[in-house]
Amino acid sequence: VREYQAKAEEANAGMARAMGGRMSLERRDKLNEVKGKQMAIAAASGAAVDSPSIADIFAATDAQGNYLRKMETAKGEQQARGHLDKAAIARVEGKAAFERGKSARTASYIAAASSALSAKYGYDKKFKGRKRKSFFDEDGYDPEWGDTTVRYGE
């Protein structure tokens, strides 16, 4: 399950990168459109395309457009990294769950062995003629030490 989630997050990362690239291309197209309008307005007003004021406007537009393109690419990359981090977390959680399962399995084997040994050699309230395998008798009496029963309030 966690591996499936990890693969889905990796696919989402690829889509986020692609979307960042796509948005960057759309910004480029929009920049070219704005620059074309600026040229048309400058030409219609009679200004020379190579005059310093028009060149400054084109340069500023170009710089702003390139900045926005890079921001779109970075945004897509950041989203992709977030998805890749989620994929890594899902894999770590999956490994941890697998290890917990192995530990639980080992604990169940130990508990089963303990139950089997207890059934064979353990405490039997009625003794059924067998000797007890413990130091203490059923009522807390040890022949060597005497009464070992803890009594509260005495």
Side-chain angles (χ1 to χ4, degrees):
V1 172
R2 296 292 185 182
E3 184 61 28
Y4 173 77
Q5 289 173 340
K7 288 193 182 289
E9 289 297 337
E10 287 173 346
N12 289 342
M15 287 188 280
R17 279 192 180 112
M19 184 58 78
R22 168 95 178 155
M23 294 303 291
S24 176
L25 292 175
E26 286 180 15
R27 288 282 184 182
R28 184 195 63 197
D29 294 344
K30 185 71 172 172
L31 172 66
N32 289 337
E33 182 182 325
V34 168
K35 285 175 24 179
K37 285 181 182 178
Q38 287 175 340
M39 282 183 159
I41 291 171
S45 69
V49 176
D50 59 350
S51 71
S53 60
I54 299 297
D56 289 344
I57 291 172
F58 288 162
T61 302
D62 221 13
Q64 180 68 18
N66 286 332
Y67 170 77
L68 293 174
R69 285 182 58 210
K70 288 178 183 176
M71 289 300 295
E72 292 295 343
T73 302
K75 182 179 173 184
E77 187 61 32
Q78 182 182 13
Q79 289 175 347
R81 279 192 211 116
H83 289 297
L84 292 175
D85 287 346
K86 286 180 184 179
I89 289 169
R91 283 195 173 97
V92 167
E93 287 175 347
K95 286 179 184 176
F98 178 74
E99 292 301 323
R100 279 194 308 271
K102 282 178 31 180
S103 296
R105 181 184 63 201
T106 301
S108 70
Y109 291 160
I110 292 170
S114 174
S115 293
L117 291 172
S118 179
K120 183 166 182 158
Y121 299 110
Y123 177 72
D124 183 0
K125 286 187 178 181
K126 297 182 182 174
F127 293 110
K128 295 184 182 174
R130 295 186 316 192
K131 278 189 163 182
R132 239 183 111 161
K133 303 292 183 194
S134 170
F135 292 115
F136 302 107
D137 211 351
E138 187 173 66
D139 59 1
Y141 181 79
D142 182 346
E144 191 173 323
W145 291 90
D147 190 7
T148 58
T149 304
V150 177
R151 293 184 180 85
Y152 295 98
E154 289 184 6

